[in-house]
């Protein structure tokens, strides 16, 4: 059924004029500015993937009974296109995003999109909107997503879906040296449980995490850290980033896969750390141990990581009425080294020994 899907391309007739685009690109935050086009592909039971379009970015027409609006059958990806120092446009490990999208779809009982179709869709959007790639430190954030748009209120996997890709030029998350963030460790809320959707990139996980993130902000913190749902003991991850601990021995510790989201940044940093001769252990790490290791000086650095922020150093930790700092509360050398190694590959200023860059012709 999944025969080759042909894209129809309808270039926008309402493109943002170049001077306006230049002004927008001059003042980028995260996820506020969007490019001229979008890609959309439909799926229907019995038909498979069909009606693939590259066209002007515009609102969807959704039936009020669309399943996604009621039962949240929705998944997404987050990836970036970079302009390398050599002037080419590259994606970073996009096959990993395609595969994770398939795994998320399987968990949410949604159709599996072939890897080639996912990559084709993403590349087409980058190509038609390449003028939106910021110069310098910025990048083009790509957001592939899929939702159930069958108009039906019965509870079962929908039989109609829309896959879409939109793009948003983003600035450097950190200008120069990144300032360490403060995290709030919640005892009250869980992000994911065994058998749940923690490893799937679905909007519902975020919906469930927002109240804890709001609590973190209320407590004067930047981000929330979730513990495991069963014991409220083991560190899992932040609302949208994985976490690493750098021990005095030089060993890196990061929570194992299972209920956490398998971050591509996480996997890449594990590989880069091992390339640099560091020992990396994927093992459960308790909040109690975190606090004790920080107090005893055995824990030197902590950082969060994900596509959007790349690497975000964690300087301070709040839990209930207690607070503690990591080292001096400043960015540590291992955090800096790993961030530079990863960004260096993405921007083409360092060799790419693992073949992670995918050049867009
Ligand atoms: C997307 C995401 C991450 C980071 O994944 P990357 O592939 O590194 O961008 C981490 N945690 C959650 C909950 C996420 O949704």
């Amino acid at each position: 059924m999944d025969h080759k899907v042909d894209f129809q391309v309808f270039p926008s007739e309402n493109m943002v004029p170049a001077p306006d685009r230049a002004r927008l690109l001059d003042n980028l935050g995260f996820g506020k500015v969007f490019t001229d086009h979008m890609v959309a592909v439909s799926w229907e039971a019995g038909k498979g993937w069909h009606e693939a379009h590259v066209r002007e970015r515009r609102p969807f027409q959704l039936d009020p009974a669309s399943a996604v609006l009621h039962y949240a059958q929705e998944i997404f990806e987050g990836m970036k296109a970079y302009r390398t120092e050599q002037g080419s446009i590259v994606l970073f490990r996009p096959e990993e995003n395609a595969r994770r999208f398939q795994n998320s779809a399987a968990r949410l009982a949604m159709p599996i999109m072939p890897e080639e179709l996912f990559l084709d869709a993403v590349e087409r959007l980058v190509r038609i909107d390449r003028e939106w790639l910021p110069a310098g430190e910025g990048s083009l954030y790509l957001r592939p997503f899929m939702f159930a748009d069958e108009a039906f209120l019965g509870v079962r996997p929908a039989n109609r879906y829309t896959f879409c890709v939109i793009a948003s030029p983003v600035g450097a998350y950190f200008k120069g040296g990144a300032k360490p963030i403060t995290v709030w460790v919640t005892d009250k809320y869980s992000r994911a449980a065994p058998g749940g959707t923690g490893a799937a990139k679905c909007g519902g996980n975020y919906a469930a995490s927002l109240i804890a993130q709001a609590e973190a902000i209320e407590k004067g913190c930047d981000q929330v850290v979730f513990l495991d749902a069963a014991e409220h003991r083991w560190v899992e991850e932040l609302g949208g980033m994985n976490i690493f601990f750098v021990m005095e021995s030089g060993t890196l510790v990061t929570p194992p896969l299972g209920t956490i989201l398998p971050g591509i940044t996480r996997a890449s940093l594990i590989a880069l750390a091992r390339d640099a001769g560091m020992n990396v252990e994927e093992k459960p790490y308790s909040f109690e141990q975190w606090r004790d290791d920080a107090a005893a000086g055995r824990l030197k650095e902590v950082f969060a990581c994900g596509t959007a922020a790349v690497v975000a150093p964690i300087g301070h930790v709040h839990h209930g009425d207690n607070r503690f700092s990591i080292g001096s509360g400043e960015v540590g050398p291992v955090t800096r080294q790993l961030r530079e190694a990863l960004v260096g590959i993405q921007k083409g200023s360092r060799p790419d020994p693992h073949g992670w860059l995918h050049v867009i012709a």
Side-chain angles (χ1 to χ4, degrees):
M1 202 187 302
D2 283 323
H3 51 79
K4 181 119 178 57
V5 182
D6 287 322
F7 278 85
Q8 282 187 288
V9 182
F10 306 101
S12 170
E13 285 170 13
N14 296 299
M15 303 233 295
V16 175
D20 295 346
R21 188 177 61 228
R23 208 169 328 111
L24 287 167
L25 288 175
D26 222 30
N27 180 27
L28 292 170
F30 185 84
K32 291 185 298 189
V33 172
F34 299 98
T35 62
D36 292 307
H37 297 87
M38 64 196 273
V39 172
V41 190
S42 301
W43 186 92
E44 218 178 294
K47 257 186 167 170
W49 296 102
H50 64 288
E51 275 192 19
H53 292 149
V54 180
R55 56 167 148 80
E56 182 185 341
R57 201 183 90 85
R58 60 161 193 239
F60 292 116
Q61 277 206 325
L62 275 189
D63 190 285
S66 287
V68 65
L69 301 178
H70 305 273
Y71 309 127
Q73 252 192 309
E74 189 270 353
I75 57 170
F76 66 95
E77 271 303 321
M79 53 208 289
K80 284 174 172 171
Y82 305 86
R83 201 185 289 281
T84 65
E85 290 181 358
Q86 295 76 28
S88 48
I89 298 177
V90 298
L91 295 170
F92 182 74
R93 308 187 74 179
E95 320 76 28
E96 296 295 324
N97 296 94
R99 282 177 211 140
R100 188 169 65 188
F101 197 69
Q102 293 183 334
N103 292 336
S104 299
R107 179 61 185 81
L108 278 276
M110 298 168 86
I112 305 299
M113 169 165 269
E115 193 176 315
E116 319 79 67
L117 182 54
F118 179 97
L119 295 175
D120 194 8
V122 169
E123 284 185 41
R124 281 173 184 274
L125 186 63
V126 174
R127 256 186 246 118
I128 198 164
D129 281 337
R130 63 186 173 277
E131 299 297 334
W132 285 94
L133 245 147
E137 277 193 273
S139 54
L140 188 63
Y141 184 81
L142 300 158
R143 170 53 60 88
F145 59 103
M146 172 169 44
F147 58 91
D149 61 357
E150 179 189 358
F152 178 60
L153 294 181
V155 180
R156 56 145 170 77
N159 57 30
R160 264 184 60 140
Y161 296 85
T162 293
F163 168 81
C164 182
V165 192
I166 54 173
S168 171
V170 295
Y173 222 82
F174 301 117
K175 299 213 160 55
K179 196 173 148 317
I181 61 171
T182 299
V183 294
W184 168 252
V185 179
T186 179
D187 270 335
K188 192 163 157 196
Y189 301 109
S190 302
R191 194 193 81 91
T197 56
K201 211 165 172 72
C202 60
N205 287 346
Y206 278 75
S209 77
L210 296 178
I211 190 170
Q213 175 63 25
E215 189 182 56
I217 301 290
E218 202 176 286
K219 301 286 180 184
C221 299
D222 302 296
Q223 291 281 328
V224 62
V225 171
F226 289 98
L227 304 176
D228 75 292
E231 297 181 74
H232 277 274
R233 181 170 175 211
W234 307 102
V235 178
E236 295 222 316
E237 64 172 314
L238 281 63
M241 283 187 273
N242 296 118
I243 192 166
F244 281 81
F245 301 89
V246 184
M247 313 310 295
E248 190 180 29
S249 61
T251 292
L252 262 67
V253 174
T254 193
L257 298 181
T259 51
I260 65 168
L261 198 286
I264 297 163
T265 315
R266 173 187 178 280
S268 305
L269 291 173
I270 290 174
L272 291 176
R274 288 185 176 144
D275 289 351
M278 297 179 207
N279 179 39
V280 185
E281 294 179 5
E282 296 177 69
K283 65 171 189 193
Y285 187 68
S286 69
F287 176 66
E288 209 179 356
Q289 189 76 48
W290 181 0
R291 201 183 44 204
D292 292 352
D293 285 342
R298 285 187 297 267
L299 176 63
K300 291 301 179 192
E301 305 174 33
V302 182
F303 61 85
C305 66
T307 297
V310 190
V311 170
I314 294 174
H316 307 277
V317 185
H318 294 202
H319 173 251
D321 293 329
N322 302 316
R323 306 172 168 207
F324 61 91
S325 296
I326 312 299
S328 59
E330 298 301 310
V331 188
V334 175
T335 302
R336 190 181 305 274
Q337 177 189 344
L338 289 173
R339 186 177 72 216
E340 283 171 6
L342 182 58
V343 172
I345 294 173
Q346 290 168 337
K347 295 298 272 178
S349 63
R350 294 200 183 185
D352 173 23
H354 297 277
W356 285 340
L357 298 187
H358 176 104
V359 179
I360 297 191

